[in-house]
Amino acid sequence: MDDIKKAAAQFEILDYSPIGQFVLRKDNIVVFWNRCLETWSGISRDQIVGTDLITHFPHLGSDKYAESIRKVFHTSLPIVFSSQLNEYFIPSPLPGEKFRIQNTFITRIPAQKEGEYYAFFAIQDETNVMAALESNKRALSQLKEEIEVRKQAEEQLVQLARYDNVTGLANRTLLREGLLRALAKTRRNQKTFALLFLDLDHFKDINDTMGHDVGDSLLKSVADRLKGRVRENDLVARMGGDEFAILIDDCNPDGAAHVSQDILETLAPFHKLDNNEVFVSCSIGIAMCPDAGEDPESICKSADTAMYLAKKMGRNNYQFYSQELHEQTMQRIHLENDLRHALDQNEFTIFYQPKVDMNANVVGMEALIRWQHTKLGMISPDKFIPMAEKTGIISPISEWVLHTACMQIREWKNNHYLSRDATLAVNVSLRQLKQESFWDTLQKILSETELDPRYLELELTESSIMDNPQATIVLLEKIHQLGARIAIDDFGSGYSSLNYLKRLPIDTIKIDMPFVQGIGKDHNDEEIIKAIITLAKSLGLQTVAEGVETKEQVSFLHEHKCDYMQGFYFCRPMPAEVATHVLKEILSEDKLEESQHSITN
Ligand code: C2E
Ligand code: CA
Ligand code: CA
C-alpha cells in the first residue's frame, strides 16, 4: 500500500482536472482516482484505491473490456471507448435515472520502475469523440510533463499557486524563483540575463470605459502575444494589474533591445475582443543583470525604475536602467539598422593599399572596405564587419566588394597602370567562409568580371580557419584548384597550429602588424618575424609584412628576406581615383617609394 501511496502522490495534480481520470496498475489495482470521478461515480478514493477495479465494476471484467485494457499495457497506442458504441465505462448517474454520456480514453504512462507502465484512463462527458481525444491528449501531455519534470506531488501543488488565474502566466512567486535561478546561473557561467518590466499604456481608461471583462480579455490577449514572442526558456509573468515581466536568460543588451522592440511591434495591432477592437501599447523597462541588482527585489526595482523612465519618455518605448548602457546600445542598434540599408544607398567604397616587393615595385593591391555614413562619417571595417557578420548582411556586402574590386583591378590592368601579374587581395570573414553559397558566388564573380583566378588572393585569418579546420580545408582545396591564391592574414597573433599550416593549401603568410611595429624596439618581435620568415620559406610560402611604417622596418625586412611589404611607409589605403593617380605617377617614376616621397615632399 505504501507503494501505491507513493505512486498516487504524483497524480494529485489530476484533482484539478474537470474530467474523470484514474490510474490502473497492470494487476487491475486502482492506483489513483481523481476528485471528479469521486463525484461522478459516487465512489470515494478511499474506497477504491488499492482495490481491484473489477470488484467495483464487474462489467469491465467482460472479454470486451478486459482484453482491451490488457493490451494498453503493451502498446503506446491509445484506445478510445466511445459512448455511442459502448455501455458506460465507469457509470456516472445523473438525476432522473439518467447516466452521463461519456467517452473513455486509455493510454499507458511510465510507472516509477523502469520498463513498467500504468494505464491512464480519462473520461470525458461529451458525445464528440474527437473533442474528447483532444482534451484528453492535453491532459495526458500535462501529466507526462509533470511526471518527468517534477516527481513530487507537493511541488506540483505549489506550482498551481504560482500561476496567475486571469492569464495563465507565471505570477510573482514563480518570477522570483526564476530570478534566483538566473542569478545562481550567472554566478556559474558569467553570462548576463535581462528582466523586462512592461506596463500597458492607459490600461485604466480601457478598463473604465469598456468594463472589466474587456479589460481581462485584453490582459489575456496581451499575455498570449507575449508568450508567442519569446523563446521557450524565457519566463513571462504577470505582476498584477496591467504589469508584466519577462525574464530572458543568456541575453546581452542588444538582445534585450531587440526583444523589447519586437514586443512593441507585437502589441501594436488591435486586439479583437468580442465585438471590440482595442489598441494598446506598452512601456518597457530593462534591467541587465547582475549589474542592475544582485537579488530579485533590487532587480525588479531597477526594471521598474527603467519602466517609469519609458513612461516619462512618452510611452510605447523601452529604456534601460543604466542610461549609459541605453545610449551605447541604442547607438549600436541604430548603426545596425543603418547598415542594412548602406549597400542600397551606395554608402560603401573600397580603398586600395598597394603591396610592394623589396624594390618598392607594386605587385598587388589589397581591397579594404569603408563605410561612408551620412551622419557619422567614415566608419572603420573593424567596427561594422562584426556587425554585418552577426546580422548576416556580410554576404551581399562581401559579394559587392569582390565584384567591385575585381572590376577595378581589371581596369587598371587593361590600362597598364598595374602589371599583368599584379594580384588583388580580398579579405574574407569567418561567416562568409561558412556560407554555403560562398563557392558559387566566387565562381560567379570570377566569370562575370573575367578576372583570371590566379590574380585573386583571398585573405583569411587564422581563427576563421581553425574554427572548423576539416570543412575549411576542403573548401580551400577547391578554391586553390580553381587557381586562386590563399593568404593567412594577421599571422602570429592567433593560435595557429603549425601542423595545420602544412596541410593547408596556402600561398602566403601575412605577418601581423604588431610584430612589424616592434622592429627596433622589441627583440622578441624581431625573433618572431625571423622565425615566421624561415618557417614560410621552408614550406615554400611567400611572406608579406603588414603595417610597415618606417625605414628601419623596411631595412630589417629586407635583410631577413621578407618577400613583400604593405604599410603607410609606402602608401596608405586610398580611394580608387587616388590610387589611379598614384599608379600613373609610379609609371613615370617607376617605384612607389620614390613616387610617394615625391608626392609627400
Ligand atoms: P587587415 O586585413 O589586417 O587590414 C590591414 C589594416 O591595417 C587596414 O585597416 C589598413 O588600413 C591598416 N594599415 C595598413 N597599413 C598600415 C600601417 O602602416 N599602419 C597602420 N597603423 N595601419 C595600417 P582597415 O582598412 O581599417 O581594415 C581593418 C580590418 O577590417 C582589416 O584588417 C580586415 O580584417 C577587415 N576588412 C577590411 N575590408 C574588408 C572586407 O572587404 N571584408 C572583410 N570581411 N573584412 C574586411
Ligand atoms: Ca587583410
Ligand atoms: Ca592583417
Side-chain angles (χ1 to χ4, degrees), residues 253-264:
D254 288 23
H258 280 300
V259 173
S260 302
Q261 183 58 38
D262 246 24
I263 288 173
L264 295 177

Side-chain angles (χ1 to χ4, degrees), residues 331-343 345-351 368-385 387-388 393 397 400:
Q331 247 182 27
R332 261 199 317 275
I333 289 195
H334 287 151
L335 204 62
E336 224 176 87
N337 277 339
D338 294 346
L339 189 59
R340 285 174 214 280
H341 309 292
L343 197 55
Q345 314 210 325
N346 279 325
E347 290 177 1
F348 290 122
T349 50
I350 298 180
F351 275 30
L368 295 159
I369 192 171
R370 296 287 178 271
W371 177 14
Q372 187 63 50
H373 191 281
T374 38
K375 286 200 206 98
L376 305 172
M378 195 80 89
I379 300 177
S380 132
D382 282 333
K383 195 157 175 194
F384 70 82
I385 293 284
M387 227 175 235
I393 36 186
I397 294 178
W400 175 85

Side-chain angles (χ1 to χ4, degrees), residues 366 459 489-490 510 512 546:
E366 178 174 358
E459 294 194 359
D489 210 346
D490 304 344
K510 295 189 82 172
D512 204 8
E546 298 188 300

Side-chain angles (χ1 to χ4, degrees), residues 267-339:
L267 291 190
F270 66 78
H271 297 253
K272 189 142 182 52
L273 312 172
D274 296 329
N275 292 322
N276 302 301
E277 288 177 359
V278 181
F279 288 92
V280 73
S281 60
C282 73
S283 305
I284 305 175
I286 307 172
M288 288 308 304
C289 309
D291 283 0
E294 306 237 329
D295 57 81
E297 287 68 32
S298 49
I299 293 173
C300 287
K301 217 169 137 213
S302 302
D304 199 43
T305 308
M307 193 269 293
Y308 271 98
L309 192 63
K311 290 258 181 220
K312 230 170 72 189
M313 302 296 279
R315 300 166 206 269
N316 196 21
N317 74 96
Y318 59 89
Q319 294 289 324
F320 282 84
Y321 173 63
S322 144
Q323 275 314 286
E324 202 188 329
L325 189 59
H326 186 80
E327 272 152 34
Q328 285 167 359
T329 311
M330 288 303 105
Q331 247 182 27
R332 261 199 317 275
I333 289 195
H334 287 151
L335 204 62
E336 224 176 87
N337 277 339
D338 294 346
L339 189 59

